[in-house]
C-alpha cells in the first residue's frame, strides 16, 4: 500500500485552531530542576523496590490486591 503525503505541515506543528504554534524555549529554575531530580530519584527507588518484590514472589504480591467477597 502506498503512503500518502499530505503536502503540508503536520498536525504537531499546528495548534488546535490551525494557527502555527511558536516554539518557545524555557529555562528551568535551578530550584525546580533540583526538586525534579529528587522526585525522579525517589520514584526510581520505589519502582526498583516494587520490581524486587515482584521478582521474589509476584503471585503473593498480586494476591494482596485481589478483592474478596465482591468488595
Amino acid at each position: 500500500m502506498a503512503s500518502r503525503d499530505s503536502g503540508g505541515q503536520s498536525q504537531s506543528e499546528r495548534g488546535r485552531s490551525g494557527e502555527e504554534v511558536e516554539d518557545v524555549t524555557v529555562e528551568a529554575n535551578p530550584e525546580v530542576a533540583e526538586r525534579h531530580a529528587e522526585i525522579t530519584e525517589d520514584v526510581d527507588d520505589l519502582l526498583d523496590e516494587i520490581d524486587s518484590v515482584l521478582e521474589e514472589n509476584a503471585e503473593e504480591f498480586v494476591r494482596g490486591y485481589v478483592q474478596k467477597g465482591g468488595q
Side-chain angles (χ1 to χ4, degrees), residues 25-62:
T25 304
V26 179
E27 289 188 33
N29 181 338
E31 293 173 1
V32 173
E34 182 179 334
R35 182 70 179 137
H36 179 266
E38 290 173 6
I39 291 172
T40 300
E41 186 176 325
D42 290 345
V43 170
D44 287 344
D45 291 344
L46 181 61
L47 291 173
D48 289 341
E49 184 177 342
I50 291 171
D51 191 42
S52 67
V53 169
L54 289 174
E55 286 177 3
E56 289 177 19
N57 194 346
E59 184 178 344
E60 184 177 328
F61 182 83
V62 172

Side-chain angles (χ1 to χ4, degrees), residues 2-29:
S3 64
R4 191 176 81 187
D5 183 12
S6 63
Q9 291 181 325
S10 68
Q11 189 173 5
S12 64
E13 294 173 349
R14 296 181 156 255
R16 240 178 221 270
S17 64
E19 297 175 9
E20 289 191 28
V21 178
E22 237 181 87
D23 186 20
V24 179
T25 304
V26 179
E27 289 188 33
N29 181 338

